[in-house]
Amino acid sequence: MTERKEATIAWPPHWPRVLDARFGTPRPGGYRATPEDFRVEEYLGFEPEGQGEHLWLWLEKRDLTTAMVARRLAKACEVAPRDVGYAGMKDRHAVTRQWFSVHLPGREAPEDLDARLAELPLTLLEVTRHPRKLKRGVHAANRFRLRLTGEALDGPELAERWDWLCRHGVANYFGPQRFGPDGRNLHRAASLLARGWRKRDDRDGMLLSAARSYLFNELLAARIVDGSWNVPLPGEAVVLDGSASRFVVEAIDASLIERAERLDLHPSGMLWGQGESVARDEALALEQALRGAHPELCAGLERAGVKMARRPLRLRLAAPRLESGEGEAWLSFTLPRGAFATAVLRELIAHPTLNFHPSAEGADRGGVDASTAAVQR
């Protein structure tokens, strides 16, 4: 019998920054020295109705994963874990605000719910009702407020880099927390797909996500190198800013270029899986090059039954703000769900956890394992 080889992927990857060609490598900087330095607030985009079978709770957590809070809520409300819902996984090493739902048909929350949660660093901010469970991915965006320190604050460069991102947009990389310390989730995904994927638990779904994210980042990196990450190509499937609407570019004209320059629309890239890409011509050729570069990952994802999807190559920073103080700077901005604040930070400061380096685990508390996957979701 032929011995099966485990799939391997070289790590760390060398995914380029957009701003290095213009400003050079950013100076070293620090972030998330304490949870209070990294604040995230979830924005649903709709209001709970105030009535229904599901109790909805607006909570602030500190140094906890979303999964930890969900398990504690299930125990406190005496329900099964499956009866607790949330829209996205938020960072552990942060202070974050997000909604949770608990299925409590015909009964109220325990009167001592605050006391049952008191042993955790949680604050219950609001309680209401809604007819439906809170589902993953239904939120519209996340608002960030981040504290930066270090050499990167010396001189005008940080403000210049920030201003460029505000005017031209940010490369929509999946952040390092998607891949785990030292790319651990990606290596496990490659081995799992080589053996033949079958879902054993929810963590296996996270591994599939890591593989798709890696392929997307590879495509985005290639588009940054050739200068087309923010410019529609012939056959491009462009996404309208702030929307899931898209259309395929038949011809490049001045009007289309102008809309791309003012961030009204963005080029998109494939999230690999079963199905046919809507891209054509030059844009499709770049996507299909992934199969030649990573045949095992691509074939494994198709065999696993993952459906092809698309993701913008570029993001607009909504409501951006930079506040400089003595030895610190605070960034505020809003990103759509699925986007990573670390993709913004890696353009502004040099830090091991932002460059996918093997030394990322635990450094400056910025190395977040994928189980606490952040911003983005």
Side-chain angles (χ1 to χ4, degrees):
M1 185 172 64
T2 303
E3 182 180 357
R4 183 180 63 217
K5 295 182 179 180
E6 291 292 321
T8 59
I9 294 177
W11 193 267
H14 299 286
W15 293 325
R17 299 180 186 89
V18 169
L19 294 184
D20 283 6
R22 180 174 296 268
F23 296 103
T25 304
R27 296 182 183 184
Y31 76 105
R32 196 155 36 192
T34 70
E36 285 73 19
D37 291 345
F38 199 101
R39 296 178 177 272
V40 188
E41 184 166 314
E42 182 178 83
Y43 172 65
L44 287 179
F46 64 92
E47 294 293 331
E49 295 181 10
Q51 55 80 34
E53 292 187 350
H54 295 266
L55 185 75
W56 280 38
L57 305 105
W58 179 235
L59 291 170
E60 180 179 278
K61 64 180 184 65
R62 180 190 185 279
D63 211 17
L64 292 169
T65 69
T66 297
M68 288 175 181
V69 177
R71 289 194 295 269
R72 191 65 188 88
L73 279 176
K75 181 178 180 181
C77 294
E78 301 174 1
V79 299
R82 65 176 179 272
D83 292 326
V84 177
Y86 47 86
M89 302 285 283
K90 301 294 186 288
D91 296 78
R92 173 172 185 171
H93 302 303
V95 175
T96 68
R97 292 183 174 189
Q98 70 179 119
W99 284 98
F100 291 82
S101 70
V102 183
H103 193 207
L104 294 176
R107 64 186 180 98
E108 297 298 323
E111 292 185 2
D112 61 343
L113 181 58
D114 275 330
R116 296 186 185 195
L117 300 175
E119 74 274 18
L120 296 180
L122 279 176
T123 303
L124 183 58
L125 303 172
E126 183 180 346
V127 179
T128 185
R129 288 270 179 171
H130 195 68
R132 291 172 294 279
K133 180 180 181 178
L134 186 56
K135 297 289 189 179
R136 296 289 293 274
V138 302
H139 60 303
N142 292 298
R143 180 71 179 168
F144 296 90
R145 182 167 168 79
L146 314 177
R147 178 176 178 265
L148 305 185
T149 58
E151 291 180 34
L153 277 60
D154 297 336
E157 184 183 318
L158 177 69
E160 291 170 352
R161 298 175 81 101
W162 174 251
D163 180 67
W164 195 98
L165 295 178
C166 292
R167 289 185 290 113
H168 299 286
V170 180
N172 192 19
Y173 279 120
F174 286 96
Q177 57 268 59
R178 174 57 56 93
F179 307 103
D182 301 338
R184 195 174 302 157
N185 290 345
L186 181 61
H187 296 310
R188 291 177 57 200
S191 297
L192 188 66
L193 291 171
R195 296 196 302 271
W197 183 86
R198 62 182 180 86
K199 185 173 181 179
R200 299 163 181 83
D201 56 41
D202 289 340
R203 287 175 295 181
D204 286 350
M206 185 181 296
L207 298 183
L208 290 184
S209 182
R212 295 220 298 174
S213 300
Y214 176 81
L215 292 173
F216 178 88
N217 279 11
E218 287 279 280
L219 174 63
L220 176 53
R223 297 282 298 255
I224 290 173
V225 170
D226 72 13
S228 68
W229 71 282
N230 57 355
V231 179
L233 296 173
E236 188 86 67
V238 296
V239 178
L240 300 183
D241 185 63
S243 160
S245 299
R246 66 171 186 247
F247 63 91
V248 176
V249 173
E250 300 296 336
I252 306 297
D253 57 24
S255 173
L256 190 76
I257 296 300
E258 189 274 332
R259 292 182 67 185
E261 288 178 348
R262 59 183 168 90
L263 307 183
D264 182 51
L265 53 80
H266 311 287
S268 71
M270 178 195 303
L271 291 169
W272 202 277
Q274 291 182 347
E276 182 179 352
S277 174
V278 297
R280 297 290 180 266
D281 305 328
E282 189 175 345
L284 178 61
L286 288 171
E287 293 182 352
Q288 292 300 324
L290 289 173
R291 187 186 295 276
H294 304 286
E296 296 86 0
L297 282 184
C298 293
L301 286 167
E302 292 170 1
R303 288 193 301 268
V306 180
K307 301 301 180 185
M308 185 180 298
R310 301 200 71 80
R311 175 181 173 92
L313 297 179
R314 181 178 63 175
L315 294 170
R316 177 201 292 270
L317 292 174
R321 186 176 181 183
L322 170 61
E323 303 167 78
S324 296
E326 187 65 33
E328 65 179 20
W330 285 90
L331 299 178
S332 301
F333 54 90
T334 297
L335 296 177
R337 70 173 181 268
F340 286 73
T342 46
V344 181
L345 290 176
R346 75 186 297 264
E347 295 284 356
L348 300 172
I349 64 174
H351 190 281
T353 64
L354 300 175
N355 294 324
F356 307 91
H357 286 179
S359 60
E361 185 171 8
D364 194 32
R365 291 182 69 88
V368 184
D369 190 89
S371 64
T372 67
V375 298
Q376 59 356 39
R377 297 184 188 171

